[in-house]
Amino acid sequence: MSHHEKYMQRCLDLAILGAGKVSPNPMVGAVIVHDGKIIGEGYHQQYGQAHAEVNAVNQVLANFDAAEELLRNSTIYVSLEPCAHYGKTPPCADLIIKHRIRQVVVGCRDPFPEVDGKGIEKLKAAGIEVTLGVLEDECRFLNRRFFTKVLKHRPYVILKWAQTQDSFFAPDDKSQFWITGAESRKLVHQWRGEEDAVLVGKNTAAIDNPQLNVRYGDGRSPKRVVIDRRLALSHDLHLFDQSVETLVFNEIKTAIDGKIKFIALEDFDRYVPQYILYQLYLQDIQSVIIEGGAHTLNSFIEAGVWDEARVFTGQSTLKSGIKAPKINGIIAGEIPSGTDHLQIIYNHKQR
């Protein structure tokens, strides 16, 4: 690993600390190096607040009397191209130019049209040396949610389900049946806190009455999304408790009732996954985890609009019932989760 890669890896380690807190912004880490030593570092901690570069520069300014001279003779490493436009905060490229930092090493370009290449151009025009593409694949992967939203105009889609040893999803009598253990359920709650929204179909909502929150994990609860074509679900369900913004996709009405948003789709017989994802994109939702049921999961699989699948296999068997979805992709990992087995799969068409 080169010295550039070593410091960029530190940027990535910092950036991931913003998971679940900065969307719809990307996760970004920054490290300032002087004479082979890190003198300042930071990451984007909260949406609407200071970017990684600002936090790194501020750390140097706070800790060194000769901060300005140090910055002039330093290199700043940033996992994503410094912004060049005014958004919630001023442009980070301007900050780097202001402090005359002599070299900038960038992991990957920012695909957002207001930035894409403009930050790098502004730095070069100011006489700053720019190196681009250090650990580029890793930097792009870290922000795969952000890149998907910007480039494909839809959220990053994660499918999640549990199946028995004999590949069944649930009993066919509509009874509730727990397949996974406590460790896996806690992990799912942790995942929810990392994504913008969690989606289920009508049958899952009616049978399981899920809260879709993070009560066994950390972070904030995601927005809830349910597909209820004919608005048949009882409003006594947890989904309608007004605790979290909840989107109800249907064919009857578009209306708002407190934190419940009813969104009527123009066509419920074709392209439902695509319509839903575009509406979520319009709501500034960067990622969604789809937790069932089998029909809903299969509809996204058949439409080809998924990016990642997380599949638990428990210890139990059912011998009959609703078959678990089948999926083809790149197996990226297989790990134990308590007594369960977890498989991570990526859509090869989306990679």
Side-chain angles (χ1 to χ4, degrees):
M1 178 179 284
S2 71
H3 70 284
H4 278 344
E5 290 175 338
K6 177 178 72 173
Y7 295 125
M8 190 59 69
Q9 183 58 56
R10 178 57 181 164
C11 290
L12 291 170
D13 294 341
L14 290 166
I16 195 66
L17 298 175
K21 301 170 185 174
V22 301
S23 178
N25 281 353
M27 295 175 282
V28 184
V31 171
I32 300 174
V33 178
H34 180 269
D35 284 346
K37 292 184 179 180
I38 294 176
I39 60 171
E41 58 184 28
Y43 66 97
H44 187 27
Q45 300 179 18
Q46 193 75 41
Y47 175 69
Q49 296 183 10
H51 288 187
E53 299 94 320
V54 175
N55 289 327
V57 168
N58 284 344
Q59 192 175 92
V60 176
L61 295 174
N63 292 337
F64 297 95
D65 292 334
E68 291 294 351
E69 182 179 351
L70 285 172
L71 288 169
R72 285 196 296 271
N73 293 285
S74 295
T75 298
I76 184 168
Y77 292 80
V78 189
S79 55
L80 188 70
E81 176 182 4
C83 58
H85 69 298
Y86 281 86
K88 294 284 185 181
T89 60
C92 291
D94 289 359
L95 177 74
I96 293 169
I97 294 168
K98 172 187 173 183
H99 291 286
R100 293 186 284 171
I101 299 173
R102 68 181 182 185
Q103 183 180 20
V104 181
V105 179
V106 178
C108 64
R109 282 173 59 150
D110 187 332
F112 186 60
E114 294 294 324
V115 181
D116 193 9
K118 297 180 178 67
I120 292 170
E121 290 172 7
K122 181 177 280 193
L123 293 170
K124 287 182 176 179
I128 294 171
E129 180 185 346
V130 178
T131 300
L132 175 64
V134 177
L135 297 186
E136 181 172 7
D137 289 345
E138 291 85 345
C139 290
R140 288 178 62 90
F141 182 76
L142 173 74
N143 277 311
R144 58 197 184 277
R145 295 162 179 81
F146 175 72
F147 274 73
T148 298
K149 180 174 181 286
V150 172
L151 298 175
K152 298 184 178 181
H153 294 176
R154 67 164 175 82
Y156 185 84
V157 177
I158 301 169
L159 309 178
K160 190 281 296 181
W161 73 86
Q163 61 190 24
T164 62
Q165 286 285 325
D166 48 354
S167 299
F168 285 100
F169 182 86
D172 53 16
D173 62 359
K174 296 186 177 182
S175 63
Q176 192 176 53
F177 182 82
W178 284 107
I179 294 174
T180 56
E183 292 87 351
S184 297
R185 290 197 286 275
K186 289 179 181 178
L187 182 57
V188 169
H189 282 236
Q190 191 66 40
W191 289 343
R192 290 174 182 169
E194 297 169 358
E195 310 305 335
D196 286 351
V198 55
L199 182 151
V200 295
K202 178 180 72 69
N203 289 340
T204 297
I207 295 168
D208 294 343
N209 191 17
Q211 297 180 57
L212 302 181
N213 58 20
V214 294
R215 61 192 181 280
Y216 299 138
D218 298 319
R220 53 96 181 100
S221 291
K223 294 181 181 181
R224 302 179 297 199
V225 183
V226 61
I227 305 171
D228 183 13
R229 180 172 184 170
R230 297 179 177 86
L231 297 181
L233 289 172
S234 168
H235 280 221
D236 292 332
L237 295 171
H238 292 309
L239 285 175
F240 299 99
D241 63 11
Q242 297 283 352
S243 62
V244 178
E245 184 176 334
T246 301
L247 311 180
V248 183
F249 286 101
N250 66 94
E251 66 177 6
I252 297 172
K253 69 177 182 179
T254 295
I256 296 177
D257 177 14
K259 292 184 178 180
I260 312 299
K261 291 184 178 180
F262 297 91
I263 301 175
L265 298 182
E266 56 187 274
D267 187 347
F268 236 99
D269 293 313
R270 297 179 300 168
Y271 308 118
V272 171
Q274 291 92 332
Y275 284 137
I276 288 174
L277 292 179
Y278 185 63
Q279 288 295 326
L280 296 183
Y281 164 79
L282 295 178
Q283 298 284 330
D284 229 3
I285 290 174
Q286 187 169 261
S287 62
V288 58
I289 184 165
I290 300 175
E291 297 195 13
H295 174 76
T296 298
L297 288 161
N298 279 321
S299 69
F300 282 83
I301 293 171
E302 290 165 7
V305 284
W306 65 278
D307 300 285
E308 183 176 335
R310 302 173 183 178
V311 184
F312 292 101
T313 300
Q315 296 293 304
S316 58
T317 58
L318 272 175
K319 297 183 180 178
S320 65
I322 300 170
K323 293 295 290 186
K326 291 184 179 181
I327 201 164
N328 293 315
I330 301 168
I331 298 175
E334 300 196 44
I335 55 177
S337 175
T339 59
D340 307 319
H341 176 81
L342 171 62
Q343 190 175 64
I344 307 295
I345 304 167
Y346 291 110
N347 188 344
H348 59 85
K349 294 180 181 178
Q350 309 293 352
R351 294 284 282 163

